[in-house]
Amino acid sequence: MACSSPRRRTSSFTAATLLLLGALFMANLDMTGAQVGICYGMMGNNLPPATEVIALYKQYNIKRMRLYDPNEAALNALRGSGIEVMLGIPNSDLQRLTNPSEANSWVQKNVRNFWPDVRLRYIAVGNEISPVNGGTSWMAPFVLPALVNVFNAVRAAGLQDQIKVSIAIDMTLIGTSYPPSAGAFRGDVISYLAPIVGHLAYAKTPLFANIYTYFSYSGNPKDISLPYALFTSPSVLVWDNGRGYQNLFDAMLDSLYSSLEKLGGGNTLDVVVSESGWPSAGGFGTTSDNAGTYLSNLIRHVKGGTPKRPGKAIETYIFAMFDENQKQPELEKHFGAFSPNKQPKYNLNFGGERAWEISAEHNATVSLKSDM
């Protein structure tokens, strides 16, 4: 997926319900110690202007943002906001950035011209490029040189300690994911990933990974239960070398850690979850109930780490801020935490004990318990 990556329904709310949702949403994200951000995708023709979007982030105390390209209006609106930003370089720009002078120009225009007014935290060089994906495979040779050139340009600006430069992958690059300790990348992507992982280890920079339990569940519902995908399983479902897995998210992330270790990344290379979410419509298992449950539980869960790396908070970016009506297929239009009219779709209550009425008109509720 892509956080501009183009991924419910606008409902009528009472003023009291909106205030309650806003307060709960704000508490939800604040309690994570700002570990959780939200991806700001722009593939919609009905989205609010950037100034209003940044105000919405501040209103709901969302302290981190993933931005998919250096959109000038968004970067200007971010000035002085205090929001930390993962700034994306579009896949279409990577070939050009294999030229070091072009990388220097890109950093001058999109980083130095906004720093420190805009708190850039990361630069993501491309998104979900795979040497075995027909749609992006032609770009794979550009990733490492573009990554190194942008890293060098950031270092030349003296910002290498403040801004980390990495790439964002999806989980299709993993060939073995079960059990998590056996996690390993596909054999036909090793030559692509190994030098990238080596560079990230050298630069002490995390790998970015887009992790969606939704797609694993919807693609294999016979073997993956809905509660396991939604963090609502009441007990451990998978044991692996003494580690118990009660949810699919941990299993997927730990399989990635294992894959990185086998590739030479050691056990010190961190992973930032650069996208994770659940659609509220458009496909199998897509309901507002499931989406609200997943997001609420995700925000609470990432404070505590995984069985393989317990006690270490997982920096995570929810996909996405808004429903984006220009994305395809239909499923991709319904990942928003907010509707385009800036109304929250879910209460994201940490307690998980109550269901709040979202729309009397549609008789829709967001229950924080799975229909196990």
Side-chain angles (χ1 to χ4, degrees), residues 280-319:
S280 57
F284 177 80
T286 60
T287 67
S288 296
D289 189 64
N290 288 344
T293 297
Y294 180 81
L295 294 180
S296 175
N297 289 337
L298 174 70
I299 291 168
R300 180 170 60 246
H301 179 79
V302 296
K303 294 183 292 180
T306 69
K308 189 175 181 68
R309 296 192 183 180
K312 182 177 176 58
I314 306 157
E315 185 174 345
T316 300
Y317 293 78
I318 290 170
F319 189 87

Side-chain angles (χ1 to χ4, degrees), residues 143-176:
V143 175
L144 179 62
L147 171 67
V148 171
N149 288 342
V150 174
F151 167 79
N152 287 334
V154 169
R155 183 167 60 180
L159 295 173
Q160 70 275 13
D161 293 331
Q162 290 82 22
I163 303 172
K164 299 298 184 179
V165 184
S166 188
I167 71 164
I169 67 169
D170 64 26
M171 298 296 282
T172 63
L173 301 187
I174 292 182
T176 301

Side-chain angles (χ1 to χ4, degrees), residues 171-251:
M171 298 296 282
T172 63
L173 301 187
I174 292 182
T176 301
S177 60
Y178 182 86
S181 63
F185 290 112
R186 294 171 48 136
D188 51 5
V189 304
I190 297 296
S191 61
Y192 165 71
L193 281 177
I196 291 173
V197 169
H199 170 80
L200 297 179
Y202 157 76
K204 297 180 171 58
T205 297
L207 176 70
F208 307 148
N210 301 339
I211 298 179
Y212 290 89
T213 67
Y214 169 75
F215 291 107
S216 296
Y217 162 70
S218 63
N220 189 17
K222 290 184 178 180
D223 294 327
I224 299 174
S225 72
L226 182 61
Y228 190 56
L230 292 178
F231 300 95
T232 57
S233 173
S235 59
V236 169
L237 294 183
V238 173
W239 285 100
D240 177 21
N241 289 342
R243 299 187 184 109
Y245 289 86
Q246 200 165 337
N247 67 82
L248 179 58
F249 180 88
D250 281 352

Side-chain angles (χ1 to χ4, degrees), residues 340-363:
N341 62 3
K342 301 187 291 187
Q343 294 177 342
K345 290 165 59 177
Y346 317 112
N347 61 33
L348 300 181
N349 178 11
F350 270 84
E353 295 296 331
R354 305 175 66 183
W356 300 94
E357 185 175 347
I358 298 293
S359 168
E361 175 184 338
H362 293 99
N363 192 29

Side-chain angles (χ1 to χ4, degrees), residues 34 54 57-58 61-65 75-85 116-121:
I54 305 314
Y57 271 73
K58 295 178 71 175
N61 206 30
I62 306 165
K63 296 180 179 178
R64 289 183 180 162
M65 170 190 292
L75 287 170
N76 280 319
L78 281 161
R79 291 184 186 274
S81 67
I83 296 169
E84 294 184 305
V85 180
D117 294 346
V118 178
R119 294 185 61 189
L120 297 169
R121 178 175 176 84

